[in-house]
Amino acid sequence: KFLRDAQHEVDTLFKNWGQMIHALRNRDWNNIPIDKVQTENLLDEFREISAELPHAISDSLMGIKEISKLTELLEFLHPGPKQKVLLDIPSLIDNTIILLPSKAKSRIKIRTTLSEPATPIYCYPFLLKHAIREILLNSIDAISEHWANANKTEQGAAIEISTSADTNDHYVEIHISDNGSGIPENIKEKIFEPYFTTRKKRGLGLTIAQWVIEQKHMGSLLIESKNSRGTMAKIRLPLS
């Protein structure tokens, strides 16, 4: 409401100024809209709007973020099909990459080496995409943190995603590696704990990813990392 009212007041002020400039250019002295009281009132309102506008924009952005989080939670609670469906992993990964923030994709090179022919698996597509996305978001954060601390541009920043299928053991593997900050040795055992985080986030990303992969898909999630040398997530999923 504040932004809507502010727009109306600013439009009125600009309209008066526009009429005044038009009259001055045409030397139309009789039609110059000079109302000292009204002009002073509009200027006072304009100053108030200028002072309050940054706060209003900030509040609006926070509201949008909260709505986004709520939408994500609702989607997670209602993940679509109740039964597993047959889906090939390369397609699922391609669709997951599309969901990543465009700003991150413009800064960080995401390379994929996907096995051919694609081996389909039975899965919950939304849940599995959500799990992979959480791992990728962790990689993006780690890369941003590492390259910022090194005072370097992210020109060499990269995430590698590869897939392979072992038909003898009836498993498919997804490897996600990055050249980010890595995980310090003293916190490796805590990374799957709910709400544990070293960043300004909820600390649920890897907890959810592990639950989706290990509980909902009977697979495994292994994180290998060396501090300041990057991280690799190894996802292993059964073919049937």
Side-chain angles (χ1 to χ4, degrees):
K1 185 178 184 301
F2 171 80
L3 291 175
R4 189 165 54 245
D5 293 344
Q7 181 184 5
H8 173 73
E9 298 297 339
V10 171
D11 286 346
T12 302
L13 185 60
F14 283 167
K15 182 179 179 181
N16 282 0
W17 285 350
Q19 290 174 351
M20 185 180 296
I21 292 170
H22 179 76
L24 289 171
R25 283 178 175 172
N26 291 281
R27 299 179 180 274
D28 188 1
W29 314 119
N30 295 324
N31 289 319
I32 296 177
I34 298 177
D35 186 327
K36 186 176 181 181
V37 175
Q38 183 186 21
T39 302
E40 285 295 333
N41 289 339
L42 285 172
L43 284 172
D44 288 342
E45 290 176 2
F46 186 73
R47 293 187 189 101
E48 290 178 8
I49 290 169
S50 298
E52 292 296 328
L53 194 57
H55 301 293
I57 293 173
S58 177
D59 290 343
S60 298
L61 290 174
M62 286 181 64
I64 292 170
K65 288 181 180 179
E66 291 302 318
I67 291 171
S68 176
K69 290 179 182 178
L70 180 60
T71 301
E72 183 179 332
L73 178 60
L74 290 173
E75 288 180 343
F76 185 75
L77 293 174
H78 301 280
K82 294 182 178 180
Q83 301 295 324
K84 290 181 180 179
V85 297
L86 195 62
L87 188 71
D88 66 272
I89 291 298
S91 295
L92 186 137
I93 289 174
D94 286 340
N95 291 333
T96 304
I97 292 173
I98 291 172
L99 298 174
L100 295 175
S102 56
K103 186 176 180 181
K105 288 186 285 187
S106 67
R107 302 187 339 257
I108 300 169
K109 182 68 175 178
I110 300 178
R111 305 187 187 97
T112 58
T113 306
L114 308 179
S115 58
E116 293 291 346
T119 305
I121 65 167
Y122 280 97
C123 66
Y124 299 104
F126 172 80
L127 289 179
L128 197 52
K129 279 193 292 185
H130 189 90
I132 294 172
R133 179 175 178 270
E134 289 293 347
I135 294 170
L136 289 169
L137 289 175
N138 267 297
S139 288
I140 290 169
D141 288 342
I143 286 172
S144 300
E145 182 181 272
H146 176 66
W147 291 74
N149 290 341
N151 293 319
K152 296 179 181 179
T153 63
E154 295 176 343
Q155 187 174 358
I159 296 174
E160 303 272 355
I161 307 172
S162 63
T163 63
S164 61
D166 188 335
T167 53
N168 292 325
D169 286 342
H170 304 286
Y171 272 88
V172 62
E173 288 193 352
I174 305 169
H175 291 180
I176 300 172
S177 60
D178 64 64
N179 57 358
S181 57
I183 303 171
E185 197 67 35
N186 63 323
I187 66 169
K188 281 185 179 179
E189 294 182 357
K190 300 179 181 180
I191 59 174
F192 292 116
E193 292 180 7
Y195 302 107
F196 175 78
T197 181
T198 58
R199 305 183 181 101
K200 294 179 180 180
K201 292 200 170 184
R202 292 170 296 168
L204 288 173
L206 289 180
T207 306
I208 292 172
Q210 184 186 48
W211 176 79
V212 168
I213 292 165
E214 297 186 357
Q215 300 299 318
K216 299 298 290 183
H217 291 87
M218 307 307 292
S220 64
L221 173 59
L222 177 66
I223 304 292
E224 296 178 352
S225 181
K226 290 185 178 180
N227 195 20
S228 300
R229 295 185 62 182
T231 300
M232 176 181 283
K234 293 183 178 181
I235 303 170
R236 190 171 166 88
L237 299 166
L239 289 175
S240 58

